[in-house]
Amino acid sequence: MMIPKNLLIAIALMLGLALLFTACGTTEEVVEEPEPEVVEEVEEPEPDPAPEPEPEPEPEPVVIPDLENVYFGFDLYNIDSEASRILDAHIESLLDLPSEYGVSIDAYTDHIGGDQYNLRLSYRRANSVTQYLTDNGISEDRIESRGLGKAPIPCYDQFDDDPGCPDNRRAEFEVIEELRAPR
């Protein structure tokens, strides 16, 4: 029997193709790509804000001392030993205060004499107190002084041997945080 030539060609072609596909096969391993891992996004914690600075400790309250009056003799403006003792205590108190604190000095006279004379005398008293303070370490820019003439307070303590009113011949002191005006 005779196989037609066309059939033989067709079979040969088929065998050739089969051989071709089987012979060209590779022995490489097929490696499957692993599925990507699902990584959960972890939010980075926000950096701690800069720590708040510790609050400054509250400053110690300033204790304002009561400053005793200084008294003068009749028609005098000098600093005697009693006035010196009182002023030394004032100086110690003022030096303990912060520098923004100062002292206001108001000097008076009694009612004896004319208004102009008493105004000048009270001014001299204020200046003698100021001079004593500055001579002993208190800066002049921390002192404000005024001579105010006759004291506005009536005097009930009069003495036979002392004319006028000893209680009104004085310099009064007040610690202040801001001075009224430059001298």
Side-chain angles (χ1 to χ4, degrees):
M1 138 164 154
M2 187 151 205
I3 302 180
K5 193 177 180 183
N6 285 344
L7 185 58
L8 277 175
I9 293 177
I11 291 177
L13 246 170
M14 295 270 251
L15 282 173
L17 280 175
L19 189 60
L20 181 66
F21 282 113
T22 58
C24 289
T26 62
T27 60
E28 289 181 19
E29 264 185 57
V30 176
V31 177
E32 286 188 28
E33 291 284 324
E35 285 194 34
E37 287 184 36
V38 177
V39 178
E40 289 184 35
E41 281 192 37
V42 176
E43 284 189 36
E44 290 287 324
E46 298 228 0
D48 289 337
E52 289 188 33
E54 290 188 29
E56 301 243 351
E58 291 196 29
E60 292 288 323
V62 175
V63 177
I64 306 296
D66 286 331
L67 302 179
E68 191 178 343
N69 292 343
V70 169
Y71 294 92
F72 297 89
F74 180 74
D75 201 27
L76 297 174
Y77 58 90
N78 63 311
I79 304 296
D80 63 14
S81 61
E82 178 62 16
S84 178
R85 182 192 64 75
I86 293 169
L87 291 174
D88 288 343
H90 292 359
I91 290 166
E92 198 173 304
S93 295
L94 290 170
L95 290 174
D96 288 341
L97 289 173
S99 62
E100 61 267 12
Y101 286 85
V103 64
S104 173
I105 304 163
D106 290 338
Y108 298 97
T109 65
D110 59 23
H111 63 283
I112 305 293
D115 289 343
Q116 286 301 311
Y117 179 81
N118 280 320
L119 189 59
R120 284 191 304 274
L121 179 58
S122 68
Y123 181 76
R124 287 185 195 108
R125 288 176 176 170
N127 283 340
S128 68
V129 170
T130 298
Q131 188 66 49
Y132 189 91
L133 295 176
T134 57
D135 287 349
N136 289 283
I138 302 299
S139 173
E140 193 170 346
D141 63 351
R142 292 180 68 190
I143 303 171
E144 176 182 281
S145 65
R146 304 182 299 179
L148 298 174
K150 294 178 182 179
I153 302 170
C155 184
Y156 300 107
D157 295 331
Q158 295 188 3
F159 303 97
D160 293 335
D161 61 339
D162 191 357
C165 181
D167 288 343
N168 283 350
R169 298 190 299 257
R170 69 184 183 278
E172 298 176 337
F173 301 85
E174 179 184 1
V175 174
I176 52 178
E177 190 166 357
E178 292 183 24
L179 297 176
R180 292 184 202 125
R183 287 177 20 121

